[in-house]
C-alpha cells in the first residue's frame, strides 16, 4: 500500500507503513532538511515542515493523513527566500551546530508569511516554543528572524583575521539543512542497524536468543559480544566500557548494549531489535553514591570496588585557621544530574573500502580515539581504519565516549557492507554520559574584614557505572573548589563513586560549575556575616597575578581578568539596585586545557592546491585535530590562516579526519580554540618558510607540557592548568515575583577570535546555566533507570522563558597562548547558578543549597 501526495510541487508516492511523515521524507524520499531530533516525541521542532501552507511537526503527522496534501520542506522554499534566511542567520550568528535551524526557519517563514515586517520579537519567541536550540540561547536566532521579517540588509561574508566578526564556517549550508550530519549520509548498498539494550541495570545475562530477530523481515544479521574479534572493552581513560554485554557477564547501567540487529531498512532493524530474547538474573542495583562507598558489593562488573577516584590536596593549616576565623560557614550543597540534550542523536556510518579498510563517519568529539578503539575491537591495525569527522549537531561533552561507533563498525566489518546506526532519543538518553550530581560539604572562614582564611571541601560525585572521564571531572572539581579566590589554608577531597545510575562524564563546566555554585553561596553567606556586599566580598578576595590559588598554583598575568570582570559588573549592580531590583552576582573561573600534568598536543596541516587541481582550484586546505560541534573551532582555523597567510577566506577548506596524525585526545576542556589557533599559526609559518609550496603538507604542532598534577606533596606550587577564562555574571530579578529580567555576562576571553560568534557562545552558555540553576534535572529511580525520558521533561528553558542576555567581552591576554586566547566554551555557565541563587535570596530571604532551585522549592533556612 502506498500514500500519494505533493512534495515541493512534485507528486510522490511512499509506503504506507512509515510510522510518521518524517520517516517517509527521510528514509524513503531522502529529503534531509527536516531533521530527526526526537521522533516520535514531537518536542524539538527539528522536523518542522509545511502541509497545505501550515507548519506541522512531521514526526507526529501520520503518513496516511498526508494523502492528497501538499508538503513543503526547506528544499522547496523559493530560492530567493532561502537566500534571505541563509544570509540573515549567517550574518547575525543565528546558528552554532545548526541542527535545529532548518525547522526554526520553517516556523519563521510561516510567521513572516502571515505578519511580514509587523512580526514582533516577543511573538516570534512564543511561536518558537515548539522548538529547542541547545546552543544559541535564542538571542541571535531571533535577531536573524527579525532581519528577514523587516528586510534589514545584512553582510553574510566570512570573517577576516583574528579579532574580526563574520559568518560561521558553512553557515548558509547549515541554515538550509544542505550540509549533512551523519544520519543525512547515504551510500550505495547501505544497511541499517538498531541496538537492543538491557532491561536491568545490574543483572547477569544467562542467555541471548537471536532466532526470532534473524527471522524477521529484512534482517541480514544479528551480532553480540560473541562476534567481537578483538577487544570487548573501550574507554577514553580506562578500558572498562563493554561494547556488548555477553552471556555469563553482568550489566551495569541502563544503556548497556546486548545486540545489534542489521536489516535492509531502519524500520525493519528497529522492529527486529525488539525480538532479541534475553534471560536475566537480576541483582540488587546500587544507586546511592554515598552508601556505595562502603557497600560490600561491587556495582560494576569486572571492577574491584566502588571508588573510581579520589582527588585531594591540602595547603596550610585549615583546622587552626578555621578555629581562629572571626566568621565561619558550614553548609552542604547538592547539585543534580543533567542531560546534555544535544539536538542530534548519535549516528555512525561505517563503510568497508575496496582496499580492505574501513571508513567510519563519526560525530564524536575525538575521532582519533574513535579510530584507535574501533581498530582494537576489530583486531586490526589503526592504519586500516579511517574516521572522518562529520561536524555534529551539538555535543557539550556528551559525545566524547563512543556511543554506537564500535557496534556499527563491527557490523560493517563482519558483513563487508556499509552500515548506518542512528539511535533514538530515548536510547540516547539512556546511553551517553551525563553531568555529575555532586554532594558538596563546605567549611569556610574569614576574618573581621572579610578576608578568606580557610576552606575545607568534601565532595562525593555519582559517576554512574563506567569510568568515562568521571575521575577527571572530580579532579577538576577539586582544583576549582575555592573559585577564583585567594585562600591561604585549604583542605579539599573529592571522590568519584561508581553506581548503577547513568554514566556521568564530560559536560560543559566539567565539575567547575558544581563546586562554584557552592563556593559562591559560601562567599555570599560570609559577606552577610561580615556586613558587606557580595561584590565587596569578592573584590577583597579575588585572585591577582602572583597570588597563590587553589592547589598552590601561582597565578600568571592572565588572572588579572577576574578583577576586570568584577569592576565591569559594578555599574550594572548599582543601576539595578537603584531601580529597586533584586540582584545576584556570580564570579567564576574555568581552566582551558586538560592540565594536571598531561602532555597536550595538536597538529595542523596547511596544504596549497594548484590552480589546476580538479575540484580544488587554488584551494588552501587547513587540517586540525578538533571536533566542530557548533562552537566555531573551524572558524578559529580559518581566521588564523587568514591572519598568517593574508589570503581570501573563501579559498580555505577546513578538514578533520584521521588520514593525518593531528589529534591527540578529545575536544574538551575549552582547549579547542587555544590549541587550534596555535597549531595552525605554526603550520602557516612553516608554509611561509617553504614559500607556500603547492601539494605539500606543511605540518606543525603545538604542545602544552608545562603543567603538573594537583596533590603531589613534592610540588607545593603546581601549575595545574596553563590557562583560565574568567567571568562575572549579574542576574537581575523582579523583587516581588522573582522573575529574572536580565542577565549581564561579562567574560574575559583573552582574545575574541570572532566577537560575534564569541557572544553567541556566551549567550548559549547562559541559557544552559539558567536551566541548570532553575529547572533542569535528570533523576533516576531506585532501579537505576532515568525517569525523565522526553525532551520536554528535562526542564530546558524555551525561548519565551529566556530573559535578555547582555554580553560584555573583556580581553586580558593569556601568556604563552597564541594571540592571548583563553577560550570561552565552558566558563559561560560557571557563575550563573550562584548569581541566580543570590538574586532569589533578595526576593524571599532564603539561602539556596540545592539545584535546580525552581524558585522557592529549595529555600531551606
Amino acid at each position: 500500500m502506498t500514500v500519494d501526495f505533493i512534495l515541493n510541487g512534485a507528486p510522490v508516492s511512499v509506503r504506507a507503513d512509515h510510522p510518521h511523515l518524517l520517516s517517509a521524507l527521510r528514509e524513503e524520499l531522502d529529503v534531509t532538511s527536516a531533521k530527526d531530533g526526537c521522533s516520535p516525541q514531537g518536542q524539538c521542532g527539528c522536523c518542522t515542515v509545511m502541509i497545505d501552507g501550515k507548519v506541522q511537526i512531521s514526526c507526529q503527522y501520520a503518513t496516511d493523513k498526508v494523502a492528497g496534501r501538499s508538503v513543503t520542506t526547506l528544499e522547496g522554499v523559493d530560492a530567493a527566500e532561502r537566500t534571505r534566511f541563509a544570509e540573515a542567520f549567517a550574518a547575525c550568528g543565528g546558528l552554532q551546530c545548526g541542527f535545529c535551524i532548518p525547522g526554526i526557519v520553517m516556523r519563521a517563514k510561516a510567521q513572516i508569511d502571515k505578519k511580514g515586517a509587523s512580526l514582533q520579537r516577543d511573538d516570534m519567541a512564543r511561536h518558537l516554543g515548539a522548538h529547542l536550540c541547545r546552543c544559541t540561547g535564542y538571542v541571535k536566532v531571533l535577531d536573524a528572524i527579525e532581519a528577514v521579517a523587516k528586510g534589514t540588509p545584512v553582510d553574510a561574508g566570512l570573517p577576516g583575521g583574528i579579532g574580526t566578526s563574520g559568518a560561521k564556517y558553512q553557515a548558509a549550508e547549515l541554515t538550509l539543512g544542505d550540509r549533512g550530519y551523519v544520519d543525512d549520509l547515504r551510500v550505495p548498498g547501505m544497511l541499517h542497524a538498531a541496538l537492543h539494550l538491557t532491561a536491568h541495570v545490574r543483572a547477569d545475562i544467562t542467555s541471548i536468543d537471536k532466532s526470532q530477530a534473524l527471522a524477521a523481515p529484512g534482517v541480514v544479521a544479528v551480532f553480540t559480544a560473541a562476534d567481537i574479534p578483538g577487544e570487548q572493552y573501550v574507554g577514553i581513560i580506562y578500558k572498562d566500557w563493554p561494547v556488548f554485554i555477553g552471556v555469563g557477564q553482568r550489566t551495569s547501567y541502563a544503556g548497556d548494549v546486548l545486540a545489534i540487529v542489521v536489516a535492509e531498512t531502519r524500520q525493519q532493524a528497529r522492529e527486529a531489535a525488539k525480538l532479541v530474547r534475553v534471560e536475566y538474573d537480576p541483582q540488587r542495583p546500587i544507586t546511592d553514591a554515598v552508601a556505595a562507598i562502603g557497600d560490600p558489593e561491587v556495582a560494576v562488573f569486572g571492577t574491584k570496588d566502588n571508588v573510581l577516584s579520589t582527588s585531594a590536596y591540602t595547603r596550610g593549616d585549615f583546622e587552626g585557621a578555621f578555629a581562629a576565623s572571626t566568621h565561619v560557614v558550614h553548609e552542604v550543597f547538592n547539585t543534580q544530574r543533567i542531560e546534555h540534550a544535544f539536538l542530534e542523536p548519535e549516528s555512525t556510518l561505517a563503510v568497508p573500502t575496496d582496499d580492505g579498510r574501513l571508513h567510519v563517519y563519526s560525530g564524536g568529539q575525538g575521532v582519533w580515539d574513535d579510530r584507535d578503539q574501533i581498530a582494537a575491537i576489530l583486531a586490526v591495525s589503526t592504519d586500516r581504519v579511517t574516521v572522518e569527522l562529520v561536524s555534529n549537531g551539538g555535543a557539550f561533552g556528551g559525545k566524547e565516549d563512543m556511543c554506537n561507533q564500535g557496534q556499527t563498525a563491527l557490523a560493517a566489518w563482519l558483513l563487508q557492507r556499509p552500515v548506518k546506526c542512528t539511535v533514538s532519543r530515548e536510547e540516547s538518553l539512556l546511553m551517553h554520559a551525563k553531568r555529575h550530581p555532586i554532594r558538596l560539604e563546605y567549611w569556610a572562614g574569614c576574618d573581621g574584614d572579610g578576608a578568606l582564611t580557610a576552606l575545607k571541601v568534601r565532595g562525593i560525585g555519582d559517576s554512574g557505572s563506567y569510568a568515562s572521564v568521571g575521575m577527571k571531572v572530580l579532579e577538576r572539581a577539586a582544583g576549582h573548589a575555592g573559585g577564583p579566590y585567594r585562600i591561604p589554608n585549604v583542605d579539599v577531597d573529592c571522590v568519584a563513586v561508581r553506581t548503577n545510575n547513568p554514566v556521568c562524564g564530560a559536560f560543559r563546566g566539567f565539575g567547575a560549575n558544581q563546586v562554584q555554585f557552592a563556593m559562591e553561596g559560601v562567599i555570599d553567606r560570609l559577606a552577610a556575616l561580615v556586613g558587606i556586599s557580595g561584590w565587596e566580598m569578592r573584590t577583597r578576595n579575588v585572585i591577582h597575578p602572583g597570588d597563590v590559588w587553589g592547589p598552590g598554583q601561582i597565578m600568571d598575568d592572565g588572572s588579572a581578568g577576574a578583577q576586570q570582570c568584577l569592576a565591569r559588573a559594578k555599574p550594572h549592580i548599582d543601576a539595578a539596585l537603584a531601580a529597586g531590583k533584586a540582584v545576584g552576582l556570580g564570579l567564576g573561573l574555568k581552566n582551558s586545557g586538560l592540565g594536571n600534568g598531561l602532555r597536550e598536543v595538536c597538529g595542523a596541516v596547511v596544504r596549497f592546491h594548484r590552480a589546476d587541481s580538479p575540484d580544488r582550484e587554488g584551494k588552501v586546505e587547513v587540517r586540525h585535530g578538533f571536533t566542530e560541534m557548533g562552537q566555531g573551532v573551524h572558524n578559529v582555523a580559518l581566521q588564523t590562516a587568514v591572519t598568517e597567510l593574508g589570503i581570501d577566506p573563501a579559498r580555505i577548506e577546513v578538514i578533520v579526519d584521521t588520514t593525518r596524525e593531528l589529534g591527540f585526545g578529545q575536544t574538551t576542556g575549552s582547549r579547542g580554540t587555544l590549541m587550534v589557533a596555535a597549531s595552525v599559526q605554526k603550520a602557516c609559518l612553516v608554509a611561509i618558510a617553504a614559500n607556500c609550496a603547492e601539494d605539500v603538507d606543511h605540518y606543525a604542532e603545538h604542545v602544552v607540557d608545562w603543567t603538573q598534577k594537583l596533590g603531589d606533596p613534592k610540588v607545593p606550587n603546581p601549575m595545574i592548568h596553563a590557562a583560565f577564562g574568567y567571568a562575572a555574571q549579574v542576574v537581575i530579578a523582579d523583587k516581588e515575583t522573582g522573575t529574572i529580567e536580565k542577565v549581564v555576562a561579562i567574560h574575559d576571553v583573552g582574545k575574541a577570535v570572532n566577537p560575534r560568534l564569541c557572544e553567541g557562545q556566551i549567550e548559549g552558555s547562559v541559557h544552559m546555566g539558567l536551566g541548570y540553576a532553575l529547572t533542569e534535572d535528570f533523576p533516576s529511580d531506585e532501579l537505576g533507570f532515568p525517569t525523565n525520558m522526553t525532551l520536554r521533561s528535562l526542564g530546558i528553558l524555551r525561548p519565551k522563558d529566556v530573559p535578555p542576555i547582555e554580553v560584555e567581552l573583556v580581553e586580558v591576554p593569556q601568556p604563552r597562548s597564541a594571540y592571548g586566547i583563553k577560550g570561552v566554551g565552558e566558563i559561560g555557565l560557571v557563575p550563573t547558578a550562584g548569581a541566580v541563587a543570590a538574586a532569589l535570596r533578595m526576593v524571599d530571604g532564603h539561602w539556596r543549597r540545592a539545584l535546580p532551585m525552581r524558585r522557592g522549592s529549595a529555600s531551606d533556612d
Side-chain angles (χ1 to χ4, degrees), residues 8 88 98-99 111 143 250 263 297 321 382 427 442-443 517-518 556 608 633 646 657 667 709 808 853:
N8 297 326
F99 193 83
Q111 288 303 305
D143 290 345
R250 179 175 290 179
E297 296 189 37
T382 56
E427 290 164 343
Y442 270 64
W443 297 260
F517 161 64
D556 59 29
F608 294 82
V633 72
D657 64 27
T667 304
K709 187 174 177 61
E808 293 186 17
M853 292 175 235

Side-chain angles (χ1 to χ4, degrees), residues 196-210:
H196 183 96
L197 303 185
T198 182
H200 301 275
V201 301
R202 187 167 180 256
D204 294 330
I205 305 300
T206 59
S207 71
I208 299 176
D209 182 357
K210 305 184 292 185

Side-chain angles (χ1 to χ4, degrees), residues 596-607:
N596 280 290
L598 294 175
R599 186 176 187 268
E600 300 183 64
V601 183
C602 178
V605 164
V606 174
R607 186 181 183 94

Side-chain angles (χ1 to χ4, degrees), residues 503-518:
V503 177
C504 289
F507 194 162
R508 188 184 226 166
F510 206 86
N513 50 310
Q514 288 99 317
V515 293
Q516 287 180 79
F517 161 64

Side-chain angles (χ1 to χ4, degrees), residues 198-203 251-256 282-288 299 337 430 462 465 499-502 779-787:
T198 182
H200 301 275
V201 301
R202 187 167 180 256
T251 64
S252 296
Y253 91 120
D256 274 329
Q283 306 295 310
R284 174 178 64 89
I286 297 173
T287 58
D288 184 319
R337 187 183 298 108
L430 290 171
D462 183 350
S465 56
T499 68
N500 297 121
N501 291 321
S780 54
D781 61 22
E782 67 279 1
L783 298 178
F785 278 86
T787 56

Side-chain angles (χ1 to χ4, degrees), residues 780-835:
S780 54
D781 61 22
E782 67 279 1
L783 298 178
F785 278 86
T787 56
N788 289 348
M789 289 299 292
T790 66
L791 287 175
R792 192 168 295 279
S793 69
L794 299 176
I796 299 168
L797 297 178
R798 298 281 171 157
K800 66 181 179 59
D801 302 316
V802 180
I805 302 168
E806 181 180 320
V807 176
E808 293 186 17
L809 299 179
V810 176
E811 295 182 315
V812 176
Q814 175 62 43
R816 302 179 74 175
S817 175
Y819 314 111
I821 289 167
K822 289 178 176 172
V824 72
E826 297 178 275
I827 181 65
L829 54 64
V830 170
T832 315

Side-chain angles (χ1 to χ4, degrees), residues 592-594 598-605 623-626 636 640 661-665 670-686 698-707 722-723 814-822:
S592 296
L594 303 179
L598 294 175
R599 186 176 187 268
E600 300 183 64
V601 183
C602 178
V605 164
R623 293 174 174 268
H624 64 85
F626 285 83
V636 174
T640 301
E661 291 295 330
L662 305 178
F664 302 87
S670 300
R671 67 190 185 126
T673 303
L674 286 78
M675 301 297 286
V676 169
S679 59
V680 172
Q681 180 188 50
K682 292 176 179 179
C684 289
L685 295 177
V686 169
H698 301 287
Y699 173 83
E701 62 183 31
H702 179 62
V703 179
V704 176
D705 58 2
W706 57 84
T707 66
Q814 175 62 43
R816 302 179 74 175
S817 175
Y819 314 111
I821 289 167
K822 289 178 176 172

